[in-house]
């Protein structure tokens, strides 16, 4: 599948990278996932992370995908999201087992 990315999307992405927002978001998402034990949780869904951090879902998804590629987080077992009530695949720290 070959899709074209609009120039406005490219500009927005470049702005996120250049102003450090990407790094800050990644750090916030990772800290949230690392803080599972204080919430008595074993994993987080993207919607739960987005709600906790007051971030847009697409931002959380992008940051989680980055962390997956780096091997920092991994997918967990399917479960119902506490917010959407839909069955989803949450994430957890890669070394959490």
């Amino acid at each position: 599948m070959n899709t074209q990315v609009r120039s406005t999307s490219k500009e927005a992405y470049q702005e996120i990278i250049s102003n450090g927002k990407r790094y800050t978001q990644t750090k916030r998402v990772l800290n949230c996932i690392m803080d599972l034990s204080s919430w008595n949780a074993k994993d987080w869904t993207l919607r739960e992370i987005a709600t906790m951090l007051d971030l847009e879902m697409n931002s959380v998804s992008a940051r989680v995908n980055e962390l997956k590629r780096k091997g920092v987080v991994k997918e967990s077992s399917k479960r119902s999201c506490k917010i959407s009530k839909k069955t989803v695949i949450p994430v957890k720290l890669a070394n959490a087992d």
Side-chain angles (χ1 to χ4, degrees), residues 29-70:
V29 168
L30 180 57
N31 285 338
C32 182
I33 296 169
M34 290 172 65
D35 202 24
L36 289 170
S37 60
S38 66
W39 290 95
N40 244 359
K42 63 178 185 144
D43 52 30
W44 290 111
T45 68
L46 300 185
R47 185 158 313 278
E48 291 164 354
I49 294 169
T51 301
M52 288 287 291
L53 300 178
D54 194 30
L55 289 173
E56 296 291 330
M57 277 288 293
N58 63 338
S59 296
V60 172
S61 179
R63 302 301 74 87
V64 166
N65 285 333
E66 270 180 40
L67 293 168
K68 279 186 201 176
R69 281 192 300 275
K70 292 178 180 178

Side-chain angles (χ1 to χ4, degrees), residues 1-94:
M1 182 168 104
N2 189 7
T3 59
Q4 295 241 327
V5 178
R6 294 180 188 256
S7 63
T8 54
S9 294
K10 290 178 183 176
E11 290 167 11
Y13 178 72
Q14 288 304 319
E15 182 180 336
I16 287 170
I17 290 173
S18 66
N19 71 11
K21 195 173 194 178
R22 178 175 154 200
Y23 172 77
T24 303
Q25 287 177 346
T26 303
K27 188 174 177 180
R28 288 182 66 205
V29 168
L30 180 57
N31 285 338
C32 182
I33 296 169
M34 290 172 65
D35 202 24
L36 289 170
S37 60
S38 66
W39 290 95
N40 244 359
K42 63 178 185 144
D43 52 30
W44 290 111
T45 68
L46 300 185
R47 185 158 313 278
E48 291 164 354
I49 294 169
T51 301
M52 288 287 291
L53 300 178
D54 194 30
L55 289 173
E56 296 291 330
M57 277 288 293
N58 63 338
S59 296
V60 172
S61 179
R63 302 301 74 87
V64 166
N65 285 333
E66 270 180 40
L67 293 168
K68 279 186 201 176
R69 281 192 300 275
K70 292 178 180 178
V72 177
V73 300
K74 65 180 181 180
E75 293 180 346
S76 190
S77 301
K78 286 183 186 180
R79 69 167 174 83
S80 176
C81 174
K82 294 173 185 163
I83 297 166
S84 71
K85 308 300 183 210
K86 294 180 180 178
T87 300
V88 296
I89 300 174
V91 294
K92 62 184 178 179
L93 290 175

